[in-house]
Amino acid sequence: MKNKITRRQMILKSSAATLASMGLTSIAVAKDHTAPASESSNNLPPPDEICFMTAVDLAALLRTKKISAREVMTAHLKQIAKVNSKVNAIVTFVPEDQLMAQALAADELIAKGNTTGALHGLPIAVKDLVETKGLRTTYGSLLWKDLIPTQDALIVERQKNAGAIVIGKTNVPELGMGSQTFNPIFGPTFNPYDPSKTCGGSTGGGATALACGMTPLADGSDMGGSLRNPGSFCNVVGLRTSPGRVPLTAVKMANQTLSVQGPMARTVSDCALLLSVQAGPDVRSPLSLADDPKQFAKPLGRDFKGVKVAFIKDLGLPWEKEVIDAAHAQRKVFEDLGCIVEDNEPDMTDANECFVNFRHWQYEAQYGDLLESNSDKMNAYTKWHITEGRKLTGPYLSRLEMKRSALFRRVQQFLTQYEFLIMPVSQVLPFDVHTPYPDQIGDVKMLTYLDWMRSAYYISVAGNPALSVPCAFSKSGLPIGIQIVGRYNADLSVLQMGFAFEQATKIGKRRPAIAV
C-alpha cells in the first residue's frame, strides 16, 4: 500500500491512452435497421429523448407497439457512438448485427402478442465482473483479459430470460477493488458531469453509461459501496440489496454477506423493475430469500406520515463540508413527506475492523492460490488483501465474528425505533480521475485505499439494504447522493422511500452536458 505514485502514474498513462484512442470502446452508428413496428415511427421521439426515457415507460411503449425494439436499440447505439469515446463507460460490445437481430426477434414476438418478460426488448449493460456467455469478461484484470465465459451468471440469465438484450460490458476497477474505476486493460472511466473527475466504482462504467443515456438499465455489485458510490457520483440510482435478495450461485464462499448484486438505473422505479427480475430464490445459494420478486414490480407510492427517520450526525467520520451539508439539507424533504425526523445514529463500534478484515479473508480465499504464479499480473490492492488475509488466525476470526454479530444486533435494534437511517453515500465529492483514492479528508489522513469509503461499507458490514438517490449538486456542479438505509431485508420499503424522495426533489432529471 506504499506504491501510490506508481498507481497514479499508471492511471495517467492509461488515461492518456484512452483519450487518444478509443478503439476498444468505439462502435459504429446503427444504420438501416429501423423498419417500424406496426404502430411506431409516426410520432417517434428523437433518439436523444428515447435514450433518456425511463425503462418503465420504454417497456410500456414496446408492449403497446408505440415503439419497436429496433428503434430503441438504434437510438442507444447512436448515443453510444456519440458519447462513449468521451467517457469510456462500455468497454466490450456485442456486435451490432447481433444486437439488431435480437431486437428484430423481440419485435416479431410482440407482433404475435407475445413477450418474454418485464424487460422485453430493452437494452441492458452488464458489469465486467459478471460472467456473460460468449462475451469477453475481464474483471478489469490481466489475469482474465481474454476470458470468454461458457455460461451466464444467474443475474445475467434472469435478465435475458426477462427479455433484456445485453449490449456489452461496463468498465470496472481491477478485480472490482476500490471506488475509482480504472484498470490496465481499458484505462479509466470519466465522470459524465466533469471528465476530470472519477465516476466512482466499482460499478463506475454502469453508472456513467446510465447517466449518458447509453442504456436504460445496468446491473452491478456492491461490497463496500460499489452500487452506491458511483450512483452518488454520477447522479443515478443504485441499490445495495439485502444479502440473498439476488442469489450468488458461483461464489467460493456461499455464506458470505459482504458482496451482493443488484440494480442500477436513472430512476428508483427502474431500479425496482430490474430488481423484480434479478431477485428470487435459488437452491444453490444458502442465503437466498424466498420472497416473491414480483413485489418490486408494483407501484412504489406509499404514505409516510408518522414514519420515524433518523438523520446521522457524523458517525464519527470525517466529511467534506458540501457533502454533509447537502445531506442535512434534505431533512425538510422528509418532514414534508410526513416523517418524524430526529438526529440519531447507531453505535458502529467495530464496523471498520469487521469490514476490513473480513474483506482480507474473503479476497485471500478468492485469489490467494493465484498469487505465487501470477504476482506480476496482480495489483497492489490484491496483494495487500492476500498478505493481510494470511495473517488472520482462527481464534481472531471467531472473535471478529462475535463483534460483527453484536454490531448487527445493535443496528437492527436501532432500526426498531426508526424505519430509516439517512446519511450521505460518500464522504467526499468526486475527486480527480488521476488520483487512485483520496489520501485525506479535511485534516484526517486516509491510510489505505478503502478508508474514505466508510460511510458506505459500515452499512455493508451491518447487512442492511441501502439506496443511493440523487439529492444535490455541489457548487462546482458535481453530483451528491443521499443514502437511505432500511431495516433488515426491507428492500421494498427502501425503494418506496427512495421513490417518494425522488419525486419530491427531481434532482435525478439533470443530465450531463456531455450526453446532450
Side-chain angles (χ1 to χ4, degrees), residues 66-85:
K66 299 286 179 25
I67 196 170
S68 73
R70 283 161 288 171
E71 289 159 343
V72 172
M73 183 61 69
T74 297
H76 284 90
L77 290 177
K78 287 182 177 179
Q79 186 72 356
I80 289 168
K82 173 184 173 183
V83 183
N84 194 56
S85 62

Side-chain angles (χ1 to χ4, degrees), residues 193 231-232 234-238 265-268 330 425 467-473 479-483 498 501-502 505-510:
Y193 290 88
S232 175
C234 295
N235 203 45
V236 298
V237 181
R266 285 188 295 272
T267 71
V268 177
Q330 309 309 312
V425 175
L467 185 71
S468 173
V469 187
C471 81
F473 277 81
I480 300 171
I482 199 165
Q483 187 171 193
F501 179 85
E502 172 187 72
T505 59
K506 303 191 184 302
I507 297 296
K509 290 184 175 294
R510 181 166 165 178

Side-chain angles (χ1 to χ4, degrees), residues 228-433:
R228 291 163 288 160
N229 276 332
S232 175
F233 281 8
C234 295
N235 203 45
V236 298
V237 181
L239 174 66
R240 178 186 164 84
T241 54
S242 296
R245 180 66 64 198
V246 181
L248 301 177
T249 58
V251 294
K252 290 183 177 180
M253 302 172 75
N255 284 290
Q256 68 83 28
T257 60
L258 289 185
S259 298
V260 301
Q261 292 178 330
M264 184 176 275
R266 285 188 295 272
T267 71
V268 177
S269 292
D270 285 356
C271 259
L273 173 67
L274 184 51
L275 184 60
S276 74
V277 166
Q278 297 173 338
D282 189 287
V283 295
R284 292 169 291 180
S285 171
L287 300 177
S288 67
L289 301 175
D291 305 358
D292 187 352
K294 292 180 182 178
Q295 64 180 304
F296 302 112
K298 297 177 181 178
L300 295 174
R302 175 186 157 188
D303 182 5
F304 285 97
K305 186 177 181 180
V307 170
K308 292 188 69 175
V309 170
F311 260 67
I312 70 154
K313 300 170 185 176
D314 60 16
L315 281 185
L317 301 175
W319 303 86
E320 287 188 1
K321 189 174 187 305
E322 274 196 272
V323 171
I324 195 74
D325 287 352
H328 285 157
Q330 309 309 312
R331 182 186 187 111
K332 188 175 187 305
V333 177
F334 291 92
E335 290 172 341
D336 289 346
L337 290 173
C339 298
I340 300 169
V341 179
E342 296 179 1
D343 296 323
N344 204 351
E345 58 191 33
D347 176 3
M348 302 303 290
T349 300
D350 300 323
N352 191 67
E353 181 187 4
C354 289
F355 178 83
V356 172
N357 284 287
F358 278 122
R359 183 179 172 98
H360 289 325
W361 183 52
Q362 192 165 318
Y363 276 129
E364 196 285 327
Q366 186 73 27
Y367 302 115
D369 292 344
L370 300 173
L371 178 61
E372 185 173 347
S373 58
N374 296 281
S375 178
D376 60 324
K377 297 178 182 178
M378 288 184 172
N379 66 12
Y381 302 165
T382 312
K383 294 174 183 177
W384 175 59
H385 283 303
I386 292 172
T387 299
E388 294 302 314
R390 289 175 174 174
K391 296 176 184 177
L392 303 174
T393 66
Y396 174 77
L397 284 171
S398 66
R399 282 150 184 80
L400 193 67
E401 181 56 40
M402 287 190 281
K403 289 182 179 181
R404 181 164 62 167
S405 298
L407 169 66
F408 172 83
R409 291 171 183 140
R410 286 198 305 273
V411 173
Q412 309 322 320
Q413 180 61 37
F414 179 86
L415 287 172
T416 63
Q417 307 169 57
Y418 303 96
E419 188 169 347
F420 301 99
L421 175 67
I422 309 299
M423 56 191 291
V425 175
S426 176
Q427 293 162 244
V428 299
L429 292 170
F431 50 90
D432 192 296
V433 72

Side-chain angles (χ1 to χ4, degrees), residues 22-164:
M22 282 291 182
L24 289 169
T25 58
S26 62
I27 187 166
V29 176
K31 299 182 179 67
D32 188 20
H33 298 296
T34 56
S38 58
E39 299 175 19
S40 67
S41 291
N42 293 333
N43 298 300
L44 192 67
D48 61 334
E49 290 302 317
I50 292 174
C51 290
F52 282 97
M53 284 185 179
T54 68
V56 170
D57 287 346
L58 281 175
L61 290 172
L62 284 163
R63 284 194 304 271
T64 55
K65 304 177 187 177
K66 299 286 179 25
I67 196 170
S68 73
R70 283 161 288 171
E71 289 159 343
V72 172
M73 183 61 69
T74 297
H76 284 90
L77 290 177
K78 287 182 177 179
Q79 186 72 356
I80 289 168
K82 173 184 173 183
V83 183
N84 194 56
S85 62
K86 303 173 185 177
V87 292
N88 194 32
I90 304 175
V91 291
T92 300
F93 288 93
V94 175
E96 182 185 326
D97 58 343
Q98 293 182 27
L99 292 173
M100 296 310 300
Q102 290 181 69
L104 174 60
D107 285 334
E108 290 174 341
L109 279 175
I110 292 172
K112 296 174 183 177
N114 299 320
T115 60
T116 53
L119 308 182
H120 187 90
L122 293 178
I124 191 169
V126 176
K127 188 172 182 177
D128 202 24
L129 297 182
V130 181
E131 291 196 353
T132 41
K133 183 178 180 179
L135 184 63
R136 184 168 62 157
T137 302
T138 73
Y139 310 95
S141 169
L142 295 172
L143 284 167
W144 291 284
K145 66 182 179 68
D146 299 314
L147 175 67
I148 308 293
T150 57
Q151 62 182 17
D152 287 322
L154 177 64
I155 191 172
V156 177
E157 179 184 304
R158 286 180 170 180
Q159 288 162 181
K160 286 182 176 179
N161 289 344

